[in-house]
Amino acid sequence: MHTHSIEAWQHAHNFLGAKHGRHERRTWFVVALTAVMMVAEIVGGTMFGSMAVVADVWHMSTHAGALAIAALAYRFARHHARDPRFTFGTGKVGELAAFCSAVILAMVAAAIGYEAVTRLFAPVAIDFAQATWLAVLGLCVNLASAWLLFDDDHHAEHGHAHDDGQAHEHAHAHAHHHHAHDSNIRAAYVHVLADALTSVLAIVGLLAGRFYGWVWMDPLMALVGVCVILSWSVGLVRTAGTVLLDMVPDRHLVGTIRKRLEVDGDRVCDLHLWRLGPGHAGLIASVVADRPQAPSAYKQRLEGIAGLSHITVEVHACEGEAHGRAAA
């Protein structure tokens, strides 16, 4: 029985993103900024009778709610990062928050669409001049929010030069890096861009009504905004769902891992790769070998692959080879 300290074999399960604190602070700031603008547009849009502005308000309200959920998720994940009750840490809390926000957003989009269709058949009077200025103010807030939530990882370029023999493997590593972004903050960033688009659509509809008398353009632009919201929500559900269901985050990375492990006749008989959190992936691999080595030897083969934060290797001796040696 081992009586010495086992700390050398233990490790933490803190799989939060490298910019977790920065993203949390900026998300809370954008929540406050959006909430103020949301109240202003609710009052103004109702007073001026613009369906497009009201649609933008409800989109901003769900945007504020989604960002609040995201911020709370950051806080919860940070406070419970080392809680032993979470087997692989709290890196997926942000994905759960994004999934819930997307579902709520789709429900609100349906409500906006219903109201917009109603306005198409029963137009109401609109104060186009005042409503336009309000929509412009909303656009400015959306652009400011997008600037605050912008992260270099959203558009990171990987143009490094490599030796020909390593170029293919580095391409796999970069592809994995692409899937290692903080999807919580990325979803928020894409969301405020969608908000900005709906603000632009509201402005277009209001200007068309003001200068050409096309009152129907206002609810029509609201319907276009609904399509944008639904498109975003479906995309977010798909992205967050793949992580929550432990789907393989990068098939190219699986190929790289197999290539590293399957040398000298060794074969990978079982491999599980999933995402633990932003920039962190878990790996469980079973290797069948004629001349089995210690698991640490196989882990060394995987050194240098970015994002593999929790690796478990199981080694099996090839039964056919073992029987052959016994007969000899």
Side-chain angles (χ1 to χ4, degrees), residues 126-155:
I126 301 175
D127 188 335
F128 291 107
Q130 298 297 330
T132 300
W133 283 113
L134 193 60
V136 170
L137 180 59
L139 175 60
C140 293
V141 171
N142 289 327
L143 293 177
S145 298
W147 177 78
L148 285 169
L149 294 175
F150 178 80
D151 190 89
D152 291 337
D153 289 341
H154 295 330
H155 303 287

Side-chain angles (χ1 to χ4, degrees), residues 242-321:
T242 57
V243 178
L244 294 174
L245 293 175
D246 291 332
M247 293 182 66
V248 175
D250 189 343
R251 286 178 291 181
H252 295 295
L253 182 59
V254 171
T256 299
I257 293 171
R258 284 186 176 274
K259 183 179 178 182
R260 292 279 195 97
L261 292 176
E262 293 185 333
V263 295
D264 297 330
D266 296 342
R267 298 289 301 277
V268 174
C269 62
D270 194 20
L271 192 151
H272 301 278
L273 179 69
W274 74 101
R275 183 173 176 177
L276 300 169
H280 300 280
L283 171 67
I284 298 176
S286 295
V287 180
V288 178
D290 293 334
R291 292 176 294 276
Q293 302 180 51
S296 58
Y298 296 93
K299 292 181 180 180
Q300 288 179 357
R301 298 180 185 179
L302 302 176
E303 289 183 354
I305 299 181
L308 291 183
S309 303
H310 195 286
I311 303 174
T312 301
V313 178
E314 185 180 39
V315 185
H316 303 277
C318 180
E319 293 183 2
E321 181 69 16

Side-chain angles (χ1 to χ4, degrees), residues 33-287:
L33 180 63
T34 305
V36 172
M37 186 60 214
M38 180 186 68
V39 173
E41 282 199 343
I42 288 176
V43 175
T46 302
M47 290 176 56
F48 305 139
S50 170
M51 186 58 224
V53 171
V54 172
D56 187 56
V57 168
W58 283 108
H59 190 196
M60 287 190 70
S61 68
T62 56
H63 159 60
L67 286 174
I69 293 174
L72 289 171
Y74 278 127
R75 186 176 186 276
F76 180 90
R78 175 168 50 84
H79 277 278
H80 296 274
R82 293 174 174 80
D83 191 330
R85 293 178 300 173
F86 297 93
T87 302
F88 287 106
T90 55
K92 289 185 181 179
V93 173
E95 305 293 342
L96 181 60
F99 187 90
C100 294
S101 298
V103 173
I104 296 173
L105 187 59
M107 295 171 61
V108 174
I112 295 173
Y114 174 80
E115 182 65 20
V117 171
T118 301
R119 291 290 185 97
L120 278 174
F121 293 99
V124 298
I126 301 175
D127 188 335
F128 291 107
Q130 298 297 330
T132 300
W133 283 113
L134 193 60
V136 170
L137 180 59
L139 175 60
C140 293
V141 171
N142 289 327
L143 293 177
S145 298
W147 177 78
L148 285 169
L149 294 175
F150 178 80
D151 190 89
D152 291 337
D153 289 341
H154 295 330
H155 303 287
E157 295 291 336
H158 306 291
H160 305 295
H162 305 294
D163 295 335
D164 292 339
Q166 296 179 333
H168 189 61
E169 187 165 308
H170 278 288
H172 293 328
H174 292 327
H176 170 69
H177 179 77
H178 173 74
H179 292 280
H181 294 174
D182 186 338
S183 58
N184 200 15
I185 197 69
R186 184 177 178 84
Y189 173 72
V190 173
H191 196 187
V192 295
L193 290 184
D195 281 338
L197 177 60
T198 56
S199 294
V200 171
L201 293 173
I203 294 171
V204 171
L206 291 168
L207 291 177
R210 179 180 179 183
F211 294 106
Y212 298 100
W214 298 345
V215 179
W216 50 268
M217 278 289 288
D218 184 73
L220 180 62
M221 290 297 98
L223 287 175
V224 174
V226 166
C227 293
V228 174
I229 298 171
L230 287 175
S231 175
W232 176 85
S233 63
V234 170
L236 184 56
V237 165
R238 184 182 296 110
T239 301
T242 57
V243 178
L244 294 174
L245 293 175
D246 291 332
M247 293 182 66
V248 175
D250 189 343
R251 286 178 291 181
H252 295 295
L253 182 59
V254 171
T256 299
I257 293 171
R258 284 186 176 274
K259 183 179 178 182
R260 292 279 195 97
L261 292 176
E262 293 185 333
V263 295
D264 297 330
D266 296 342
R267 298 289 301 277
V268 174
C269 62
D270 194 20
L271 192 151
H272 301 278
L273 179 69
W274 74 101
R275 183 173 176 177
L276 300 169
H280 300 280
L283 171 67
I284 298 176
S286 295
V287 180

